[in-house]
Amino acid sequence: MMSVNKIARVKAAMQSYSDFPLPGVIFRDLFPVLRQPALFRDLIDVLNENVKSKHPKVDVIIGLESRGFLFAPIMGLELDIPFVPIRKKGKLPGDLARVTYQLEYGTDVFEAQKDAVKPGDKVVIVDDLMATGGTMSAAVQLVEQMGGVVIDCICIVELDDLKGRNKLKVPFTSFIHF
């Protein structure tokens, strides 16, 4: 019950901006939550409790560029699990695994350092928001290409009407729905 109350407080603190970044889009802004340390703490607690209760053995927490980086490193630190970033093309050094994925108008590329996920690693992927599912689906594909096993994808917010979760063939968890 406490998690439900914490999530309700997080949702109440969020702000919405019409016609941003494009006309017809409503931007769901989590940044006001981060400006309230107690509320941010509650959100991290809910995320960590979810992982601990559902997945007693996790090898890697992955955060997606860029807002996944706000949550996943903290989760990894507190759960004593390595954090691995998945970034856009050209932002990571070393030997990289990459996947090209489709955007509404064109393509983009995700990359990760090849040695960051070992074959058989159980992986949880974290991002702030699930919209159409393209970036999360690409992240799953990249982890699988590296030999990892995605045991959960977690987003704080899900835009239900866009049905992004339907692009995933792995477990998906979200907490706030619009």
Side-chain angles (χ1 to χ4, degrees), residues 51-105:
V51 170
K52 286 190 287 192
S53 69
K54 288 171 50 178
H55 309 292
K57 176 69 174 110
V58 177
D59 299 304
V60 176
I61 295 271
I62 287 182
L64 302 187
E65 186 170 328
S66 67
R67 288 186 296 266
F69 295 173
L70 299 171
F71 309 102
I74 297 169
M75 293 171 66
L77 185 65
E78 292 184 1
L79 295 170
D80 199 28
I81 301 168
F83 163 73
V84 172
I86 288 184
R87 303 222 47 199
K88 300 289 177 113
K89 183 177 181 180
K91 298 198 177 179
L92 287 171
D95 196 13
L96 304 175
R98 65 180 46 90
V99 64
T100 301
Y101 62 99
Q102 199 65 39
L103 297 171
E104 191 172 344
Y105 300 105

Side-chain angles (χ1 to χ4, degrees), residues 4-119:
V4 172
N5 292 337
K6 289 177 181 180
I7 289 299
R9 289 195 308 271
V10 168
K11 185 174 183 177
M14 292 176 63
Q15 293 179 333
S16 297
Y17 295 92
S18 296
D19 299 319
F20 183 84
L22 301 168
V25 174
I26 301 172
F27 185 84
R28 306 298 183 174
D29 188 7
L30 273 166
F31 288 130
V33 174
L34 279 61
R35 293 193 300 258
Q36 300 177 55
L39 200 50
F40 190 17
R41 168 83 270 149
D42 284 348
L43 178 56
I44 294 296
D45 288 347
V46 168
L47 295 171
N48 286 340
E49 289 164 12
N50 176 72
V51 170
K52 286 190 287 192
S53 69
K54 288 171 50 178
H55 309 292
K57 176 69 174 110
V58 177
D59 299 304
V60 176
I61 295 271
I62 287 182
L64 302 187
E65 186 170 328
S66 67
R67 288 186 296 266
F69 295 173
L70 299 171
F71 309 102
I74 297 169
M75 293 171 66
L77 185 65
E78 292 184 1
L79 295 170
D80 199 28
I81 301 168
F83 163 73
V84 172
I86 288 184
R87 303 222 47 199
K88 300 289 177 113
K89 183 177 181 180
K91 298 198 177 179
L92 287 171
D95 196 13
L96 304 175
R98 65 180 46 90
V99 64
T100 301
Y101 62 99
Q102 199 65 39
L103 297 171
E104 191 172 344
Y105 300 105
T107 61
D108 209 343
V109 176
F110 262 161
E111 296 179 327
Q113 293 170 319
K114 277 188 179 176
D115 63 352
V117 175
K118 310 284 186 280

